[in-house]
Amino acid sequence: MDTALLQEKNDPMGKAIADYFATGKAGKLRVFSSQFDEDEIPVKHLFRTFRDMAKLEQTALKLAQGKILDCGAGSGCHALELQQMGKEVDAIDISPLSVEVMLKRGVVSAAQADLFNMAAVQEYDTVLMLMNGSGIIGKLENMEKFFMKMKQILRPGGVVFMDSSDLKYLFEDEDGSYVINLAGDYYGEVDFRMQYKQVKGNAFDWLYIDFQTLSLYASKFGFKAELIEEGKHYDYLAALRML
Ligand code: SAH
């Protein structure tokens, strides 16, 4: 993702979240990509409660303990559930409008911040990155930067819970074989751009990563990856434990 903080004028998802919060409905949150056809994010989904969350998100919320960082917290759906469970959570997001909504919805600690520029030192027992949370890493080349940041902000024994998907199914041929250009960029590296009404966001990188590749990078940078749960469609929840 574009790691700079957003401004309201280029914060389409935040605008959609703000509209939905204010009126209970929102227009189309459109998603463009050079790799895929135009798509849409149902804004209501960003306000899901525990009941409507994917099973692996529910698992992540249950396993989160100690002081928790909800990274890329959006409307605050996970942070609010954690608070309900009596857990201590800081929520951050680069979107100013989302942070405003989180505070209005009752998230006790919500701040506009970019994960990669956070000043926290050994503060968190758990970092949560949910709804293809690996996306925030952007590209494989940012893996080192990501794990160094986690080493800095996690307490000893700390853990990151992250969900992601293996996009290989998009490249599956009719005979079940995979047509992946091994000389090209990693197949999970995607670019997106969003638009909500007249608000256009800048293009950003978003990483989908298969569990094996994630494990390789984790061990290279001092973490152990564990497959906690698999979802219904090539998605999974991983725990990344600091060694
Ligand atoms: N976790 C929420 C929202 C997911 S959308 C949910 O599950 O509903 C991804 C969110 O990450 C967006 O709100 C986006 O603004 C935020 N984000 C992207 N890059 C970020 C970064 N570098 N630091 C913090 N937040 C980031």
Side-chain angles (χ1 to χ4, degrees), residues 1-4 6 11 13 17 45-48 57 70-78 92-95 98 113-116 129-131 135-136 194 206:
M1 190 121 192
D2 182 351
T3 54
L6 303 180
D11 183 12
M13 187 187 262
I17 284 177
H45 180 68
L46 299 170
F47 285 80
R48 63 204 180 280
E57 291 184 297
D70 182 2
C71 177
S75 81
C77 55
H78 299 110
I92 61 160
D93 205 292
I94 55 172
S95 151
S98 298
D114 169 11
L115 171 70
F116 290 101
M129 297 172 73
L130 295 177
M131 198 171 149
I136 288 176
M194 291 192 279
W206 196 247

PDB file of all heavy atoms in Angstrom, residues 1-4 6 11 13 17 45-48 57 70-78 92-95 98 113-116 129-131 135-136 194 206, ligand 1:
ATOM      1  N   MET A   1       0.853  -1.200   0.000  1.00  0.00           N
ATOM      2  CA  MET A   1       0.000   0.000   0.000  1.00  0.00           C
ATOM      3  C   MET A   1       0.878   1.235   0.000  1.00  0.00           C
ATOM      4  O   MET A   1       2.009   1.209   0.474  1.00  0.00           O
ATOM      5  CB  MET A   1      -0.845  -0.043   1.276  1.00  0.00           C
ATOM      6  CG  MET A   1      -1.938   0.988   1.335  1.00  0.00           C
ATOM      7  SD  MET A   1      -3.548   0.210   1.501  1.00  0.00           S
ATOM      8  CE  MET A   1      -4.628   1.564   1.200  1.00  0.00           C
ATOM      9  N   ASP A   2       0.354   2.320  -0.517  1.00  0.00           N
ATOM     10  CA  ASP A   2       1.044   3.600  -0.442  1.00  0.00           C
ATOM     11  C   ASP A   2       1.242   3.893   1.046  1.00  0.00           C
ATOM     12  O   ASP A   2       0.295   4.057   1.791  1.00  0.00           O
ATOM     13  CB  ASP A   2       0.142   4.672  -1.070  1.00  0.00           C
ATOM     14  CG  ASP A   2       0.801   6.023  -1.074  1.00  0.00           C
ATOM     15  OD1 ASP A   2       1.868   6.155  -0.440  1.00  0.00           O
ATOM     16  OD2 ASP A   2       0.261   6.941  -1.697  1.00  0.00           O
ATOM     17  N   THR A   3       2.485   3.926   1.487  1.00  0.00           N
ATOM     18  CA  THR A   3       2.699   3.968   2.930  1.00  0.00           C
ATOM     19  C   THR A   3       2.592   5.372   3.501  1.00  0.00           C
ATOM     20  O   THR A   3       2.746   5.565   4.693  1.00  0.00           O
ATOM     21  CB  THR A   3       4.055   3.348   3.305  1.00  0.00           C
ATOM     22  OG1 THR A   3       5.055   4.005   2.551  1.00  0.00           O
ATOM     23  CG2 THR A   3       4.063   1.861   3.067  1.00  0.00           C
ATOM     24  N   ALA A   4       2.313   6.364   2.658  1.00  0.00           N
ATOM     25  CA  ALA A   4       2.129   7.709   3.211  1.00  0.00           C
ATOM     26  C   ALA A   4       0.734   7.799   3.817  1.00  0.00           C
ATOM     27  O   ALA A   4      -0.180   7.105   3.404  1.00  0.00           O
ATOM     28  CB  ALA A   4       2.291   8.736   2.106  1.00  0.00           C
ATOM     29  N   LEU A   6      -2.903   9.138   4.276  1.00  0.00           N
ATOM     30  CA  LEU A   6      -3.803   9.682   3.265  1.00  0.00           C
ATOM     31  C   LEU A   6      -4.360  11.024   3.722  1.00  0.00           C
ATOM     32  O   LEU A   6      -4.337  11.358   4.900  1.00  0.00           O
ATOM     33  CB  LEU A   6      -4.975   8.723   3.035  1.00  0.00           C
ATOM     34  CG  LEU A   6      -4.638   7.291   2.620  1.00  0.00           C
ATOM     35  CD1 LEU A   6      -5.917   6.482   2.431  1.00  0.00           C
ATOM     36  CD2 LEU A   6      -3.812   7.277   1.341  1.00  0.00           C
ATOM     37  N   ASP A  11      -8.991   9.668  -0.097  1.00  0.00           N
ATOM     38  CA  ASP A  11      -9.325   8.604   0.851  1.00  0.00           C
ATOM     39  C   ASP A  11     -10.717   8.015   0.540  1.00  0.00           C
ATOM     40  O   ASP A  11     -11.663   8.171   1.306  1.00  0.00           O
ATOM     41  CB  ASP A  11      -9.292   9.201   2.275  1.00  0.00           C
ATOM     42  CG  ASP A  11      -9.557   8.175   3.371  1.00  0.00           C
ATOM     43  OD1 ASP A  11      -9.536   6.956   3.081  1.00  0.00           O
ATOM     44  OD2 ASP A  11      -9.781   8.599   4.522  1.00  0.00           O
ATOM     45  N   MET A  13     -11.964   4.928   0.488  1.00  0.00           N
ATOM     46  CA  MET A  13     -12.533   3.946   1.407  1.00  0.00           C
ATOM     47  C   MET A  13     -12.996   4.634   2.691  1.00  0.00           C
ATOM     48  O   MET A  13     -14.066   4.336   3.230  1.00  0.00           O
ATOM     49  CB  MET A  13     -11.539   2.835   1.724  1.00  0.00           C
ATOM     50  CG  MET A  13     -12.169   1.722   2.547  1.00  0.00           C
ATOM     51  SD  MET A  13     -10.992   0.475   3.121  1.00  0.00           S
ATOM     52  CE  MET A  13     -11.217  -0.785   1.913  1.00  0.00           C
ATOM     53  N   ILE A  17     -16.712   4.693   4.291  1.00  0.00           N
ATOM     54  CA  ILE A  17     -16.931   4.306   5.690  1.00  0.00           C
ATOM     55  C   ILE A  17     -17.653   5.436   6.432  1.00  0.00           C
ATOM     56  O   ILE A  17     -18.606   5.198   7.186  1.00  0.00           O
ATOM     57  CB  ILE A  17     -15.575   3.940   6.354  1.00  0.00           C
ATOM     58  CG1 ILE A  17     -15.134   2.538   5.881  1.00  0.00           C
ATOM     59  CG2 ILE A  17     -15.659   4.009   7.881  1.00  0.00           C
ATOM     60  CD1 ILE A  17     -13.776   2.079   6.388  1.00  0.00           C
ATOM     61  N   HIS A  45     -19.792  -4.662   4.503  1.00  0.00           N
ATOM     62  CA  HIS A  45     -18.866  -5.702   4.979  1.00  0.00           C
ATOM     63  C   HIS A  45     -17.795  -5.110   5.899  1.00  0.00           C
ATOM     64  O   HIS A  45     -17.305  -5.778   6.811  1.00  0.00           O
ATOM     65  CB  HIS A  45     -18.214  -6.384   3.767  1.00  0.00           C
ATOM     66  CG  HIS A  45     -17.252  -7.474   4.137  1.00  0.00           C
ATOM     67  ND1 HIS A  45     -17.657  -8.662   4.706  1.00  0.00           N
ATOM     68  CD2 HIS A  45     -15.895  -7.549   4.048  1.00  0.00           C
ATOM     69  CE1 HIS A  45     -16.595  -9.425   4.937  1.00  0.00           C
ATOM     70  NE2 HIS A  45     -15.516  -8.765   4.551  1.00  0.00           N
ATOM     71  N   LEU A  46     -17.449  -3.860   5.682  1.00  0.00           N
ATOM     72  CA  LEU A  46     -16.422  -3.211   6.509  1.00  0.00           C
ATOM     73  C   LEU A  46     -16.944  -2.941   7.922  1.00  0.00           C
ATOM     74  O   LEU A  46     -16.177  -2.623   8.819  1.00  0.00           O
ATOM     75  CB  LEU A  46     -15.946  -1.917   5.842  1.00  0.00           C
ATOM     76  CG  LEU A  46     -15.301  -2.114   4.462  1.00  0.00           C
ATOM     77  CD1 LEU A  46     -15.083  -0.776   3.770  1.00  0.00           C
ATOM     78  CD2 LEU A  46     -13.974  -2.871   4.575  1.00  0.00           C
ATOM     79  N   PHE A  47     -18.263  -3.085   8.106  1.00  0.00           N
ATOM     80  CA  PHE A  47     -18.882  -2.873   9.419  1.00  0.00           C
ATOM     81  C   PHE A  47     -19.351  -4.190  10.045  1.00  0.00           C
ATOM     82  O   PHE A  47     -20.202  -4.189  10.926  1.00  0.00           O
ATOM     83  CB  PHE A  47     -20.070  -1.908   9.283  1.00  0.00           C
ATOM     84  CG  PHE A  47     -19.651  -0.476   9.106  1.00  0.00           C
ATOM     85  CD1 PHE A  47     -19.233  -0.001   7.871  1.00  0.00           C
ATOM     86  CD2 PHE A  47     -19.647   0.404  10.192  1.00  0.00           C
ATOM     87  CE1 PHE A  47     -18.829   1.320   7.705  1.00  0.00           C
ATOM     88  CE2 PHE A  47     -19.242   1.717  10.039  1.00  0.00           C
ATOM     89  CZ  PHE A  47     -18.835   2.176   8.789  1.00  0.00           C
ATOM     90  N   ARG A  48     -18.808  -5.303   9.557  1.00  0.00           N
ATOM     91  CA  ARG A  48     -19.286  -6.607  10.055  1.00  0.00           C
ATOM     92  C   ARG A  48     -19.029  -6.765  11.557  1.00  0.00           C
ATOM     93  O   ARG A  48     -18.060  -6.244  12.080  1.00  0.00           O
ATOM     94  CB  ARG A  48     -18.629  -7.755   9.259  1.00  0.00           C
ATOM     95  CG  ARG A  48     -17.112  -7.846   9.394  1.00  0.00           C
ATOM     96  CD  ARG A  48     -16.536  -8.553   8.176  1.00  0.00           C
ATOM     97  NE  ARG A  48     -15.076  -8.678   8.216  1.00  0.00           N
ATOM     98  CZ  ARG A  48     -14.247  -7.678   7.899  1.00  0.00           C
ATOM     99  NH1 ARG A  48     -14.695  -6.476   7.571  1.00  0.00           N
ATOM    100  NH2 ARG A  48     -12.936  -7.875   7.923  1.00  0.00           N
ATOM    101  N   GLU A  57     -11.132 -14.986  10.983  1.00  0.00           N
ATOM    102  CA  GLU A  57     -11.054 -13.702  11.688  1.00  0.00           C
ATOM    103  C   GLU A  57     -11.492 -13.885  13.140  1.00  0.00           C
ATOM    104  O   GLU A  57     -10.887 -13.327  14.064  1.00  0.00           O
ATOM    105  CB  GLU A  57     -11.962 -12.669  11.019  1.00  0.00           C
ATOM    106  CG  GLU A  57     -11.485 -12.221   9.647  1.00  0.00           C
ATOM    107  CD  GLU A  57     -12.380 -11.131   9.073  1.00  0.00           C
ATOM    108  OE1 GLU A  57     -13.572 -11.406   8.841  1.00  0.00           O
ATOM    109  OE2 GLU A  57     -11.890 -10.021   8.865  1.00  0.00           O
ATOM    110  N   ASP A  70      -4.271  -3.304  16.251  1.00  0.00           N
ATOM    111  CA  ASP A  70      -5.076  -3.636  15.071  1.00  0.00           C
ATOM    112  C   ASP A  70      -4.580  -2.724  13.956  1.00  0.00           C
ATOM    113  O   ASP A  70      -4.825  -1.522  13.962  1.00  0.00           O
ATOM    114  CB  ASP A  70      -6.562  -3.412  15.373  1.00  0.00           C
ATOM    115  CG  ASP A  70      -7.458  -3.794  14.192  1.00  0.00           C
ATOM    116  OD1 ASP A  70      -6.940  -4.255  13.156  1.00  0.00           O
ATOM    117  OD2 ASP A  70      -8.691  -3.617  14.312  1.00  0.00           O
ATOM    118  N   CYS A  71      -3.879  -3.336  13.024  1.00  0.00           N
ATOM    119  CA  CYS A  71      -3.186  -2.548  12.007  1.00  0.00           C
ATOM    120  C   CYS A  71      -4.011  -2.504  10.716  1.00  0.00           C
ATOM    121  O   CYS A  71      -4.332  -3.541  10.152  1.00  0.00           O
ATOM    122  CB  CYS A  71      -1.838  -3.210  11.764  1.00  0.00           C
ATOM    123  SG  CYS A  71      -0.937  -2.387  10.495  1.00  0.00           S
ATOM    124  N   GLY A  72      -4.343  -1.298  10.264  1.00  0.00           N
ATOM    125  CA  GLY A  72      -5.224  -1.157   9.103  1.00  0.00           C
ATOM    126  C   GLY A  72      -6.639  -1.486   9.554  1.00  0.00           C
ATOM    127  O   GLY A  72      -7.310  -2.350   9.012  1.00  0.00           O
ATOM    128  N   ALA A  73      -7.084  -0.766  10.582  1.00  0.00           N
ATOM    129  CA  ALA A  73      -8.291  -1.168  11.321  1.00  0.00           C
ATOM    130  C   ALA A  73      -9.597  -0.788  10.632  1.00  0.00           C
ATOM    131  O   ALA A  73     -10.665  -1.249  11.039  1.00  0.00           O
ATOM    132  CB  ALA A  73      -8.242  -0.579  12.724  1.00  0.00           C
ATOM    133  N   GLY A  74      -9.567   0.063   9.612  1.00  0.00           N
ATOM    134  CA  GLY A  74     -10.775   0.396   8.841  1.00  0.00           C
ATOM    135  C   GLY A  74     -11.839   1.066   9.697  1.00  0.00           C
ATOM    136  O   GLY A  74     -11.591   2.079  10.353  1.00  0.00           O
ATOM    137  N   SER A  75     -13.044   0.478   9.717  1.00  0.00           N
ATOM    138  CA  SER A  75     -14.143   1.058  10.495  1.00  0.00           C
ATOM    139  C   SER A  75     -14.019   0.712  11.974  1.00  0.00           C
ATOM    140  O   SER A  75     -14.843   1.139  12.783  1.00  0.00           O
ATOM    141  CB  SER A  75     -15.483   0.530   9.985  1.00  0.00           C
ATOM    142  OG  SER A  75     -15.711  -0.760  10.535  1.00  0.00           O
ATOM    143  N   GLY A  76     -13.044  -0.121  12.322  1.00  0.00           N
ATOM    144  CA  GLY A  76     -12.858  -0.515  13.723  1.00  0.00           C
ATOM    145  C   GLY A  76     -13.607  -1.774  14.105  1.00  0.00           C
ATOM    146  O   GLY A  76     -13.760  -2.092  15.282  1.00  0.00           O
ATOM    147  N   CYS A  77     -14.057  -2.547  13.100  1.00  0.00           N
ATOM    148  CA  CYS A  77     -14.895  -3.723  13.418  1.00  0.00           C
ATOM    149  C   CYS A  77     -14.177  -4.704  14.342  1.00  0.00           C
ATOM    150  O   CYS A  77     -14.774  -5.197  15.299  1.00  0.00           O
ATOM    151  CB  CYS A  77     -15.407  -4.400  12.146  1.00  0.00           C
ATOM    152  SG  CYS A  77     -14.166  -4.895  10.959  1.00  0.00           S
ATOM    153  N   HIS A  78     -12.907  -4.960  14.092  1.00  0.00           N
ATOM    154  CA  HIS A  78     -12.198  -5.919  14.963  1.00  0.00           C
ATOM    155  C   HIS A  78     -11.867  -5.298  16.311  1.00  0.00           C
ATOM    156  O   HIS A  78     -11.989  -5.937  17.355  1.00  0.00           O
ATOM    157  CB  HIS A  78     -10.935  -6.427  14.267  1.00  0.00           C
ATOM    158  CG  HIS A  78     -11.209  -7.155  12.993  1.00  0.00           C
ATOM    159  ND1 HIS A  78     -10.886  -6.640  11.750  1.00  0.00           N
ATOM    160  CD2 HIS A  78     -11.828  -8.335  12.763  1.00  0.00           C
ATOM    161  CE1 HIS A  78     -11.284  -7.501  10.819  1.00  0.00           C
ATOM    162  NE2 HIS A  78     -11.857  -8.526  11.405  1.00  0.00           N
ATOM    163  N   ILE A  92      -4.831   1.448  14.423  1.00  0.00           N
ATOM    164  CA  ILE A  92      -4.228   2.471  13.547  1.00  0.00           C
ATOM    165  C   ILE A  92      -4.703   2.278  12.113  1.00  0.00           C
ATOM    166  O   ILE A  92      -5.043   1.164  11.685  1.00  0.00           O
ATOM    167  CB  ILE A  92      -2.676   2.461  13.558  1.00  0.00           C
ATOM    168  CG1 ILE A  92      -2.126   1.121  13.058  1.00  0.00           C
ATOM    169  CG2 ILE A  92      -2.138   2.827  14.932  1.00  0.00           C
ATOM    170  CD1 ILE A  92      -0.674   1.202  12.591  1.00  0.00           C
ATOM    171  N   ASP A  93      -4.721   3.378  11.389  1.00  0.00           N
ATOM    172  CA  ASP A  93      -5.048   3.332   9.968  1.00  0.00           C
ATOM    173  C   ASP A  93      -4.460   4.586   9.315  1.00  0.00           C
ATOM    174  O   ASP A  93      -4.371   5.635   9.964  1.00  0.00           O
ATOM    175  CB  ASP A  93      -6.566   3.282   9.735  1.00  0.00           C
ATOM    176  CG  ASP A  93      -6.906   2.648   8.394  1.00  0.00           C
ATOM    177  OD1 ASP A  93      -6.611   3.257   7.346  1.00  0.00           O
ATOM    178  OD2 ASP A  93      -7.422   1.507   8.382  1.00  0.00           O
ATOM    179  N   ILE A  94      -4.090   4.470   8.042  1.00  0.00           N
ATOM    180  CA  ILE A  94      -3.580   5.647   7.332  1.00  0.00           C
ATOM    181  C   ILE A  94      -4.714   6.562   6.873  1.00  0.00           C
ATOM    182  O   ILE A  94      -4.475   7.665   6.399  1.00  0.00           O
ATOM    183  CB  ILE A  94      -2.708   5.262   6.105  1.00  0.00           C
ATOM    184  CG1 ILE A  94      -3.475   4.327   5.167  1.00  0.00           C
ATOM    185  CG2 ILE A  94      -1.400   4.641   6.553  1.00  0.00           C
ATOM    186  CD1 ILE A  94      -2.746   4.053   3.844  1.00  0.00           C
ATOM    187  N   SER A  95      -5.962   6.084   7.004  1.00  0.00           N
ATOM    188  CA  SER A  95      -7.111   6.849   6.515  1.00  0.00           C
ATOM    189  C   SER A  95      -7.670   7.778   7.593  1.00  0.00           C
ATOM    190  O   SER A  95      -8.150   7.317   8.631  1.00  0.00           O
ATOM    191  CB  SER A  95      -8.199   5.863   6.058  1.00  0.00           C
ATOM    192  OG  SER A  95      -9.488   6.412   6.199  1.00  0.00           O
ATOM    193  N   SER A  98     -11.460   7.152   8.311  1.00  0.00           N
ATOM    194  CA  SER A  98     -11.723   5.913   9.053  1.00  0.00           C
ATOM    195  C   SER A  98     -11.420   6.105  10.529  1.00  0.00           C
ATOM    196  O   SER A  98     -12.169   5.639  11.393  1.00  0.00           O
ATOM    197  CB  SER A  98     -10.871   4.764   8.502  1.00  0.00           C
ATOM    198  OG  SER A  98     -11.203   4.512   7.168  1.00  0.00           O
ATOM    199  N   ALA A 113      -2.005   6.521  11.603  1.00  0.00           N
ATOM    200  CA  ALA A 113      -0.574   6.196  11.583  1.00  0.00           C
ATOM    201  C   ALA A 113      -0.310   5.165  10.495  1.00  0.00           C
ATOM    202  O   ALA A 113      -1.184   4.379  10.133  1.00  0.00           O
ATOM    203  CB  ALA A 113      -0.151   5.637  12.933  1.00  0.00           C
ATOM    204  N   ASP A 114       0.900   5.194  10.005  1.00  0.00           N
ATOM    205  CA  ASP A 114       1.356   4.221   9.018  1.00  0.00           C
ATOM    206  C   ASP A 114       2.199   3.182   9.755  1.00  0.00           C
ATOM    207  O   ASP A 114       3.158   3.543  10.453  1.00  0.00           O
ATOM    208  CB  ASP A 114       2.192   4.970   7.972  1.00  0.00           C
ATOM    209  CG  ASP A 114       2.937   4.040   7.044  1.00  0.00           C
ATOM    210  OD1 ASP A 114       2.672   2.824   7.058  1.00  0.00           O
ATOM    211  OD2 ASP A 114       3.799   4.546   6.302  1.00  0.00           O
ATOM    212  N   LEU A 115       1.829   1.938   9.605  1.00  0.00           N
ATOM    213  CA  LEU A 115       2.554   0.864  10.292  1.00  0.00           C
ATOM    214  C   LEU A 115       4.066   1.023  10.150  1.00  0.00           C
ATOM    215  O   LEU A 115       4.813   0.847  11.116  1.00  0.00           O
ATOM    216  CB  LEU A 115       2.132  -0.488   9.709  1.00  0.00           C
ATOM    217  CG  LEU A 115       2.964  -1.682  10.189  1.00  0.00           C
ATOM    218  CD1 LEU A 115       2.691  -1.979  11.639  1.00  0.00           C
ATOM    219  CD2 LEU A 115       2.698  -2.907   9.339  1.00  0.00           C
ATOM    220  N   PHE A 116       4.507   1.330   8.948  1.00  0.00           N
ATOM    221  CA  PHE A 116       5.945   1.351   8.686  1.00  0.00           C
ATOM    222  C   PHE A 116       6.650   2.552   9.313  1.00  0.00           C
ATOM    223  O   PHE A 116       7.873   2.591   9.370  1.00  0.00           O
ATOM    224  CB  PHE A 116       6.212   1.285   7.177  1.00  0.00           C
ATOM    225  CG  PHE A 116       5.868  -0.060   6.601  1.00  0.00           C
ATOM    226  CD1 PHE A 116       4.683  -0.256   5.913  1.00  0.00           C
ATOM    227  CD2 PHE A 116       6.707  -1.145   6.781  1.00  0.00           C
ATOM    228  CE1 PHE A 116       4.348  -1.506   5.403  1.00  0.00           C
ATOM    229  CE2 PHE A 116       6.391  -2.397   6.278  1.00  0.00           C
ATOM    230  CZ  PHE A 116       5.209  -2.578   5.577  1.00  0.00           C
ATOM    231  N   MET A 129      -3.484  -8.193  11.584  1.00  0.00           N
ATOM    232  CA  MET A 129      -3.597  -7.635  10.230  1.00  0.00           C
ATOM    233  C   MET A 129      -4.639  -8.494   9.520  1.00  0.00           C
ATOM    234  O   MET A 129      -4.339  -9.622   9.126  1.00  0.00           O
ATOM    235  CB  MET A 129      -2.244  -7.680   9.524  1.00  0.00           C
ATOM    236  CG  MET A 129      -1.211  -6.813  10.248  1.00  0.00           C
ATOM    237  SD  MET A 129       0.462  -6.987   9.609  1.00  0.00           S
ATOM    238  CE  MET A 129       0.341  -6.109   8.046  1.00  0.00           C
ATOM    239  N   LEU A 130      -5.858  -7.951   9.401  1.00  0.00           N
ATOM    240  CA  LEU A 130      -6.964  -8.775   8.894  1.00  0.00           C
ATOM    241  C   LEU A 130      -7.642  -8.189   7.659  1.00  0.00           C
ATOM    242  O   LEU A 130      -7.632  -6.979   7.456  1.00  0.00           O
ATOM    243  CB  LEU A 130      -7.997  -8.987  10.006  1.00  0.00           C
ATOM    244  CG  LEU A 130      -7.498  -9.803  11.214  1.00  0.00           C
ATOM    245  CD1 LEU A 130      -8.570  -9.891  12.289  1.00  0.00           C
ATOM    246  CD2 LEU A 130      -7.036 -11.194  10.802  1.00  0.00           C
ATOM    247  N   MET A 131      -8.278  -9.041   6.891  1.00  0.00           N
ATOM    248  CA  MET A 131      -8.905  -8.805   5.597  1.00  0.00           C
ATOM    249  C   MET A 131      -7.796  -8.714   4.541  1.00  0.00           C
ATOM    250  O   MET A 131      -7.480  -7.659   4.023  1.00  0.00           O
ATOM    251  CB  MET A 131      -9.776  -7.538   5.581  1.00  0.00           C
ATOM    252  CG  MET A 131     -10.752  -7.516   4.420  1.00  0.00           C
ATOM    253  SD  MET A 131     -11.924  -6.152   4.597  1.00  0.00           S
ATOM    254  CE  MET A 131     -12.218  -5.789   2.861  1.00  0.00           C
ATOM    255  N   GLY A 135      -1.708  -7.588   2.673  1.00  0.00           N
ATOM    256  CA  GLY A 135      -1.749  -6.563   1.635  1.00  0.00           C
ATOM    257  C   GLY A 135      -0.921  -5.344   1.982  1.00  0.00           C
ATOM    258  O   GLY A 135      -0.241  -4.769   1.123  1.00  0.00           O
ATOM    259  N   ILE A 136      -0.954  -4.965   3.237  1.00  0.00           N
ATOM    260  CA  ILE A 136      -0.265  -3.751   3.684  1.00  0.00           C
ATOM    261  C   ILE A 136       1.242  -3.826   3.417  1.00  0.00           C
ATOM    262  O   ILE A 136       1.896  -2.798   3.247  1.00  0.00           O
ATOM    263  CB  ILE A 136      -0.588  -3.513   5.189  1.00  0.00           C
ATOM    264  CG1 ILE A 136      -2.054  -3.060   5.322  1.00  0.00           C
ATOM    265  CG2 ILE A 136       0.357  -2.503   5.827  1.00  0.00           C
ATOM    266  CD1 ILE A 136      -2.524  -2.874   6.755  1.00  0.00           C
ATOM    267  N   MET A 194      -8.788   2.764  -5.796  1.00  0.00           N
ATOM    268  CA  MET A 194     -10.201   2.768  -5.412  1.00  0.00           C
ATOM    269  C   MET A 194     -10.852   4.102  -5.744  1.00  0.00           C
ATOM    270  O   MET A 194     -10.179   5.133  -5.847  1.00  0.00           O
ATOM    271  CB  MET A 194     -10.332   2.480  -3.914  1.00  0.00           C
ATOM    272  CG  MET A 194      -9.954   1.058  -3.569  1.00  0.00           C
ATOM    273  SD  MET A 194     -10.396   0.566  -1.891  1.00  0.00           S
ATOM    274  CE  MET A 194      -9.046   1.262  -0.994  1.00  0.00           C
ATOM    275  N   TRP A 206      -0.516  -4.136  -3.279  1.00  0.00           N
ATOM    276  CA  TRP A 206      -1.229  -4.972  -2.299  1.00  0.00           C
ATOM    277  C   TRP A 206      -0.741  -6.399  -2.487  1.00  0.00           C
ATOM    278  O   TRP A 206      -0.791  -6.930  -3.589  1.00  0.00           O
ATOM    279  CB  TRP A 206      -2.733  -4.846  -2.563  1.00  0.00           C
ATOM    280  CG  TRP A 206      -3.630  -5.299  -1.463  1.00  0.00           C
ATOM    281  CD1 TRP A 206      -4.473  -6.372  -1.501  1.00  0.00           C
ATOM    282  CD2 TRP A 206      -3.835  -4.670  -0.185  1.00  0.00           C
ATOM    283  NE1 TRP A 206      -5.175  -6.445  -0.316  1.00  0.00           N
ATOM    284  CE2 TRP A 206      -4.797  -5.423   0.497  1.00  0.00           C
ATOM    285  CE3 TRP A 206      -3.279  -3.554   0.440  1.00  0.00           C
ATOM    286  CZ2 TRP A 206      -5.236  -5.100   1.791  1.00  0.00           C
ATOM    287  CZ3 TRP A 206      -3.713  -3.227   1.717  1.00  0.00           C
ATOM    288  CH2 TRP A 206      -4.678  -3.998   2.373  1.00  0.00           C
TER     289      TRP A 206
HETATM  290  N1  SAH B   1      -9.051  -4.437   8.855  1.00  0.00           N
HETATM  291  C1  SAH B   1     -10.223  -3.794   8.318  1.00  0.00           C
HETATM  292  C2  SAH B   1      -9.934  -2.950   7.070  1.00  0.00           C
HETATM  293  C3  SAH B   1      -9.237  -3.654   5.942  1.00  0.00           C
HETATM  294  S1  SAH B   1      -8.930  -2.650   4.527  1.00  0.00           S
HETATM  295  C4  SAH B   1     -11.296  -4.820   8.052  1.00  0.00           C
HETATM  296  O1  SAH B   1     -10.991  -6.013   8.122  1.00  0.00           O
HETATM  297  O2  SAH B   1     -12.443  -4.465   7.783  1.00  0.00           O
HETATM  298  C5  SAH B   1      -7.208  -2.248   4.786  1.00  0.00           C
HETATM  299  C6  SAH B   1      -7.005  -1.051   5.673  1.00  0.00           C
HETATM  300  O3  SAH B   1      -5.603  -0.865   5.872  1.00  0.00           O
HETATM  301  C7  SAH B   1      -7.508   0.256   5.066  1.00  0.00           C
HETATM  302  O4  SAH B   1      -8.356   0.894   5.992  1.00  0.00           O
HETATM  303  C8  SAH B   1      -6.232   1.063   4.813  1.00  0.00           C
HETATM  304  O5  SAH B   1      -6.432   2.456   4.949  1.00  0.00           O
HETATM  305  C9  SAH B   1      -5.282   0.500   5.870  1.00  0.00           C
HETATM  306  N2  SAH B   1      -3.823   0.617   5.604  1.00  0.00           N
HETATM  307  C10 SAH B   1      -3.199   0.429   4.415  1.00  0.00           C
HETATM  308  N3  SAH B   1      -1.873   0.597   4.528  1.00  0.00           N
HETATM  309  C11 SAH B   1      -1.623   0.858   5.827  1.00  0.00           C
HETATM  310  C12 SAH B   1      -0.432   1.136   6.565  1.00  0.00           C
HETATM  311  N4  SAH B   1       0.770   1.162   5.976  1.00  0.00           N
HETATM  312  N5  SAH B   1      -0.529   1.391   7.890  1.00  0.00           N
HETATM  313  C13 SAH B   1      -1.753   1.378   8.498  1.00  0.00           C
HETATM  314  N6  SAH B   1      -2.914   1.136   7.846  1.00  0.00           N
HETATM  315  C14 SAH B   1      -2.862   0.875   6.524  1.00  0.00           C
END
